[in-house]
Amino acid sequence: MLKIIFLAVLCSFSAALFENSYLIKHANKLEDFRAILESEFVSLVYFYSDKCENCQRAASLIEKVAEDQEGIINAYGANCDEINKDPKSNDQLPYCSQDVIQHLPQITFFEPPTQPINPYTKEKMIATEHRFQGEATPQSLGQYGYKFIPNHVIRINTLEELKKFETSDPKLNKVILFTKRKETSPLLKAMNLHYLERVKFGEVVATPETQSLLDEFDIKELPQIVGLENNGDNTYNRDLFDGDLLFKPIKKFVRGLAAKDRIPYEQVNEQSTKQEERKNRRQKQDDQEKNNEKQNVITPTKLDQNILNKQLLRNDKPAFVHVYKETPHKAWEETIKKYKSLFDYYEFQVNTQEDEELVKELQIKSYPSIRFYQVGNTAKKRASKISFTKEYSLDEINKDIQELVDDKTININEQSLQMQLSQYIGDNNIVVLYFYQTPQVGLTYRVLSQLQEYHGKYKFLSFKNASQKVIDQFQIPNQPAITIIFRDVKDKKELEEELKPDQVKQALFTGKHGYDEIKSFLDSFDESKKTSSKKVQEIHNQEQLEEYCEKKQTLCYIALLNGEHKQVKHDDILTKWEHQLEVLDKIKNIHGAKQASFVFIDASCHDELLLKFDISDDTLPNFVAYSSSKKIYSKLIGRFDYDALSKFIEKQYKGQSNNININSIQIIEKNCEEIFQKRKEASQQSGLSDFDEEILKEILEEERLKRKELEKELKKGKKKNKKSKDDL
């Protein structure tokens, strides 16, 4: 009884989290996050759950940050329990997945986009996520968020630049901050955003070189803010701000100078401004890289038998395994630093006799050793014998790795280029083209081209020693270079029509040739990357079926699985059930951008659906495409594997499926475990073994087929008799 009361009190307290704070807004719906993603301001979002005690304790920290950063950083509270109640938000917001909920509370900053429209995809840009890691204090959170505030403030270094600043945008009044700080104040940057294109902001950093500017305004103490009110003839009244240097007093001062409506800034002081912008951008990139290096410290995964079987051997990304007893391999840390996120990393310290058994499976013969696992299937990885013993240096390891990673890109030349591009773009593939002059295709590009997530959607091409004509055609500044050729349409229905020349677009990658940078670039062209990476939903009852397959009024892909396969081995690692779910997850990740839902049902338990879809239980697993609005369905004919399902879905998308009429479908909620147990007991009572049951099933199926054939013959005979009578 006490426990129930405590939970009720806790829930009551949780519901009131941030309720009395006017500074912290709630972000529990899709619409709330749309405002965050499209905002010009930096947003701090605190993800929490009613069931998380630590979330309650840390709430006061967020309230303190919101108070300190009022007007500079927007603060939000996101209740994952509320988000997951709303199916629409749950499907489209990946921030409260099961993986995230296990590690609440979490603090994420959203950095406003640098430009409104993506020049490659022509879509509206949205904010970039930055998850905070480290010790959270009001100071550390504030400093972390400051880095992401857009800077539109103009740095003024000379009297000539001051003159240009004053005469530009004559309809706008100006504000200048005189300061000792070399970096632009977060408060000033945020103030500029509040009055963007209503007031023009500048800053002067006090140095010997800018002393003439301080003298011009008779500045004796720093920092100091001066307002310039335009008289209408490019002369200004200078108004010295004499209040407290806090957000609200400054905002009140600036508000008195602000235009009623926005007036786009003119391109004045362009050269010095661009130089300063480039300098600031370089500095920001340097700071970001240093920060990333601190945050992206790679911690190798601790290896055990389970991780070996279900993770390492099944990944489609190359991996290093470090095996040692007391002394680590001399090149291990250097190897991680060199390759970073290009590979996966695992560590195994041998301490016990049981550990020695795993070492035998890894085929390690001496300590310390670094084992390299290539991309490929389980059998190939188990047979691999690529080990680097303690004598190997980083240079020697790198030399071998360059040779070991296969090149599975499509090598093209000038003669085949046009034909390949026409074919792939016509099939709505995203074509990635790599230009190079070295003996081999770059290692990073080779690894990316083999990732399963790009299979079927992307085509990775490589072009060695392209002629100057081709280089000019694709506007390649230097090599190696990566460019993407893609089909750009306004309406997805156009993808079903014939390719038009004006739909073919190119986007050149101009960033650093690192794994994360290139991968981020590739992902920006794939709609499915913008969908949630949640697992395929299992359906147990009619309410869930209506929610996922009928209310959304979209095509619903239903995998009909056999729950009895949960105990049947698929291979040395997975059961048949686990393998089938793995296939479904990959299919959803590739085809999730299409307007469709993906679900699965244990049809060996809910066998009422087998009759509806005219599917025999011995053909499970199976796959159907069901449209509740059109009252039609089509079913898979063939193997239940990745390639067959992909082809089936593509046929649906192109309107090439064989559809069958169907009334609405019903699923009865059942206790499947209880049903399976009763079946097992009945089988045991009958004295039949599993093998006997299989034979019995085959006999019954043969009898059923014979009856069908006999019925057909009888029907034919009746038709003949009827025809004979009609002839008479």
Side-chain angles (χ1 to χ4, degrees):
M1 184 69 179
L2 287 173
K3 186 175 181 182
I4 296 173
I5 293 171
F6 172 74
L7 287 175
V9 172
L10 179 61
C11 292
S12 173
F13 173 71
S14 301
L17 198 62
F18 304 132
E19 195 173 88
N20 297 323
S21 175
Y22 74 96
L23 294 173
I24 300 176
K25 301 174 185 176
H26 293 288
N28 299 330
K29 296 181 180 179
L30 185 63
E31 292 76 18
D32 301 330
F33 274 89
R34 189 171 288 118
I36 293 171
L37 295 172
E38 296 176 358
S39 175
E40 296 175 335
F41 292 84
V42 174
S43 298
L44 178 158
V45 181
Y46 180 70
F47 293 95
Y48 67 96
S49 167
D50 292 338
K51 304 166 188 173
C52 164
E53 291 185 16
N54 287 335
C55 299
Q56 314 297 327
R57 296 190 191 104
S60 59
L61 168 67
I62 304 304
E63 289 175 342
K64 174 63 175 168
V65 174
E67 184 181 338
D68 292 347
Q69 307 303 330
E70 182 182 1
I72 301 174
I73 296 173
N74 291 338
Y76 292 82
N79 188 337
C80 285
D81 300 328
E82 294 297 320
I83 289 173
N84 288 335
K85 283 180 185 176
D86 181 0
K88 188 177 180 182
S89 300
N90 186 27
D91 283 349
Q92 299 190 44
L93 295 175
Y95 311 114
C96 288
S97 64
Q98 286 302 317
D99 293 337
V100 174
I101 287 178
Q102 292 174 8
H103 300 92
L104 293 178
Q106 287 196 5
I107 300 170
T108 299
F109 285 82
F110 289 81
E111 179 184 9
T114 54
Q115 49 191 338
I117 302 297
N118 188 317
Y120 303 126
T121 63
K122 312 300 181 188
E123 293 180 352
K124 195 170 185 177
M125 295 278 280
I126 60 173
T128 305
E129 300 174 40
H130 300 278
R131 184 175 295 175
F132 179 81
Q133 295 176 338
E135 183 180 358
T137 65
Q139 294 75 25
S140 65
L141 290 170
Q143 290 296 326
Y144 188 76
Y146 291 161
K147 298 181 299 182
F148 310 127
I149 303 175
N151 188 6
H152 301 288
V153 178
I154 294 176
R155 183 70 62 89
I156 303 169
N157 298 306
T158 64
L159 288 169
E160 183 181 356
E161 289 177 6
L162 172 64
K163 187 64 176 176
K164 288 181 179 178
F165 175 76
E166 289 179 334
T167 55
S168 65
D169 300 294
K171 294 182 180 179
L172 296 179
N173 293 326
K174 314 311 194 273
V175 171
I176 301 176
L177 170 68
F178 293 83
T179 178
K180 291 179 181 178
R181 292 183 55 166
K182 293 183 179 179
E183 295 178 358
T184 304
S185 161
L187 190 152
L188 189 66
K189 290 192 286 185
M191 193 67 67
N192 196 348
L193 293 174
H194 281 281
Y195 294 98
L196 191 65
E197 298 181 340
R198 294 174 61 199
V199 174
K200 193 155 188 175
F201 288 78
E203 65 176 350
V204 175
V205 177
T207 64
E209 290 74 22
T210 60
Q211 186 59 46
S212 58
L213 290 167
L214 274 71
D215 294 340
E216 173 70 18
F217 287 83
D218 195 26
I219 301 297
K220 304 298 183 184
E221 294 180 2
L222 297 173
Q224 183 63 64
I225 297 174
V226 177
L228 303 180
E229 188 173 4
N230 198 328
N231 292 318
D233 57 356
N234 278 340
T235 61
Y236 291 86
N237 292 326
R238 296 176 179 179
D239 187 8
L240 205 65
F241 173 72
D242 60 357
D244 294 328
L245 290 170
L246 299 172
F247 182 81
K248 286 185 177 179
I250 296 174
K251 186 177 182 182
K252 184 178 180 181
F253 174 75
V254 174
R255 190 191 303 130
L257 296 166
K260 184 178 180 181
D261 301 309
R262 282 191 172 189
I263 302 170
Y265 293 142
E266 291 178 358
Q267 297 299 315
V268 296
N269 201 13
E270 189 171 355
Q271 185 175 358
S272 60
T273 302
K274 285 189 174 181
Q275 287 175 349
E276 191 62 37
E277 284 177 352
R278 282 195 293 269
K279 181 181 176 182
N280 290 339
R281 192 159 53 243
R282 282 195 298 271
Q283 184 63 47
K284 184 177 179 181
Q285 288 172 348
D286 291 342
D287 292 343
Q288 187 67 45
E289 286 179 10
K290 289 177 183 177
N291 185 57
N292 288 341
E293 285 177 8
K294 290 179 183 177
Q295 289 189 13
N296 298 336
V297 174
I298 295 172
T299 304
T301 302
K302 298 297 180 185
L303 190 68
D304 57 28
Q305 187 70 55
N306 185 55
I307 289 175
L308 172 69
N309 289 338
K310 294 198 173 182
Q311 187 172 323
L312 171 60
L313 294 177
R314 302 195 70 80
N315 280 357
D316 58 355
K317 191 175 176 184
F320 282 109
V321 178
H322 178 215
V323 182
Y324 68 101
K325 278 194 171 181
E326 295 178 358
T327 308
H329 196 291
K330 63 181 181 181
W332 179 237
E333 294 296 332
E334 292 177 311
T335 301
I336 296 175
K337 286 180 182 177
K338 178 174 180 61
Y339 295 112
K340 299 177 182 174
S341 51
L342 182 61
F343 300 133
D344 287 336
Y345 302 90
Y346 298 85
E347 240 178 8
F348 184 59
Q349 187 170 11
V350 183
N351 294 315
T352 65
Q353 185 60 40
E354 187 180 343
D355 293 341
E356 295 283 358
E357 294 300 317
L358 183 55
V359 169
K360 288 180 183 178
E361 189 169 349
L362 294 170
Q363 299 181 13
I364 298 294
K365 296 181 179 178
S366 64
Y367 307 111
S369 286
I370 297 175
R371 182 69 176 277
F372 181 68
Y373 282 82
Q374 288 209 64
V375 174
N377 58 39
T378 303
K380 180 179 176 181
K381 285 189 175 180
R382 284 188 184 279
S384 175
K385 294 183 179 180
I386 306 163
S387 295
F388 303 104
T389 54
K390 64 180 180 180
E391 294 82 14
Y392 274 80
S393 66
L394 177 62
D395 290 339
E396 291 170 321
I397 292 174
N398 183 54
K399 184 179 178 182
D400 284 353
I401 293 299
Q402 292 290 342
E403 300 297 328
L404 289 169
V405 178
D406 298 331
D407 177 13
K408 295 186 178 179
T409 63
I410 302 167
N411 303 119
I412 60 170
N413 53 40
E414 201 161 342
Q415 287 70 41
S416 62
L417 174 63
Q418 194 61 44
M419 181 186 69
Q420 298 275 36
L421 286 180
S422 299
Q423 177 188 336
Y424 295 140
I425 299 298
D427 290 339
N428 298 322
N429 293 122
I430 298 168
V431 179
V432 190
L433 185 51
Y434 181 82
F435 292 91
Y436 68 108
Q437 295 172 308
T438 51
Q440 284 182 302
V441 171
L443 181 64
T444 303
Y445 189 71
R446 278 182 275 160
V447 171
L448 283 163
S449 68
Q450 298 180 47
L451 295 182
Q452 182 67 39
E453 63 188 276
Y454 296 130
H455 177 76
K457 182 71 175 176
Y458 288 72
K459 295 295 180 182
F460 289 84
L461 280 57
S462 54
F463 199 141
K464 185 176 182 179
N465 297 328
S467 67
Q468 191 59 45
K469 176 184 174 183
V470 174
I471 294 297
D472 292 342
Q473 178 186 349
F474 286 92
Q475 299 179 334
I476 304 300
N478 45 53
Q479 298 183 61
I482 296 173
T483 191
I484 283 186
I485 316 297
F486 62 102
R487 188 175 182 181
D488 186 25
V489 296
K490 294 180 180 178
D491 190 334
K492 288 185 179 181
K493 291 181 180 178
E494 295 179 53
L495 295 173
E496 302 172 25
E497 302 170 359
E498 189 175 341
L499 177 67
K500 299 174 183 176
D502 62 345
Q503 292 176 342
V504 181
K505 306 292 182 182
Q506 177 190 354
L508 182 67
F509 175 64
T510 58
K512 179 182 176 183
H513 276 233
Y515 176 86
D516 291 327
E517 290 81 0
I518 299 174
K519 190 174 189 307
S520 177
F521 176 69
L522 298 180
D523 291 347
S524 67
F525 292 87
D526 187 1
E527 288 294 323
S528 68
K529 300 292 179 182
K530 300 171 187 174
T531 64
S532 171
S533 59
K534 291 184 179 181
K535 304 289 185 183
V536 177
Q537 175 70 35
E538 182 173 9
I539 300 298
H540 299 281
N541 52 49
Q542 187 65 24
E543 184 181 352
Q544 290 177 324
L545 183 68
E546 291 174 359
E547 184 66 41
Y548 287 92
C549 291
E550 296 185 5
K551 286 183 180 178
K552 294 185 178 182
Q553 294 293 306
T554 58
L555 193 61
C556 186
Y557 290 107
I558 306 174
L560 301 169
L561 306 185
N562 187 343
E564 294 175 352
H565 284 168
K566 290 179 181 179
Q567 307 302 324
V568 181
K569 286 285 186 182
H570 168 72
D571 54 27
D572 292 342
I573 298 169
L574 300 179
T575 64
K576 285 188 176 182
W577 179 268
E578 289 172 332
H579 170 68
Q580 290 156 15
L581 292 181
E582 188 179 79
V583 170
L584 284 177
D585 289 338
K586 287 182 179 178
I587 285 292
K588 182 176 183 282
N589 288 337
I590 293 297
H591 298 281
K594 295 180 172 63
Q595 295 300 308
S597 299
F598 288 81
V599 300
F600 72 92
I601 297 173
D602 184 349
S604 59
C605 172
H606 299 282
D607 48 7
E608 63 271 15
L609 293 178
L610 297 179
L611 187 62
K612 271 288 185 183
F613 291 123
D614 192 24
I615 291 174
S616 171
D617 59 355
D618 59 356
T619 63
L620 297 179
N622 213 310
F623 196 70
V624 299
Y626 167 64
S627 172
S628 61
S629 59
K630 296 181 181 179
K631 304 292 184 187
I632 57 173
Y633 79 96
S634 60
K635 57 186 177 182
L636 173 72
I637 298 176
R639 292 171 58 85
F640 188 95
D641 58 28
Y642 177 84
D643 290 332
L645 295 182
S646 286
K647 288 176 183 176
F648 177 78
I649 290 171
E650 288 301 330
K651 281 187 176 181
Q652 298 293 323
Y653 188 58
K654 293 177 181 178
Q656 299 172 351
S657 58
N658 295 318
N659 295 321
I660 305 167
N661 293 326
I662 187 174
N663 294 324
S664 59
I665 59 176
Q666 300 285 326
I667 179 170
I668 303 168
E669 188 164 5
K670 301 176 182 178
N671 186 332
C672 294
E673 293 300 325
E674 188 178 310
I675 290 172
F676 292 146
Q677 184 61 33
K678 286 181 179 178
R679 286 180 188 172
K680 187 176 180 181
E681 290 171 0
S683 173
Q684 290 171 347
Q685 289 173 5
S686 68
L688 294 174
S689 66
D690 290 343
F691 180 69
D692 291 333
E693 282 212 332
E694 288 298 321
I695 293 175
L696 183 59
K697 279 184 181 178
E698 289 179 12
I699 293 171
L700 292 172
E701 181 62 17
E702 286 177 7
E703 291 295 326
R704 188 181 69 80
L705 293 173
K706 284 180 183 178
R707 283 199 303 273
K708 256 192 171 180
E709 289 297 322
L710 186 60
E711 286 171 2
K712 283 183 182 178
E713 291 297 324
L714 288 171
K715 284 180 181 178
K716 285 181 182 177
K718 286 179 181 177
K719 285 181 181 178
K720 284 181 181 178
N721 290 337
K722 187 175 184 299
K723 189 175 181 183
S724 300
K725 289 178 181 178
D726 291 342
D727 290 341
L728 292 171

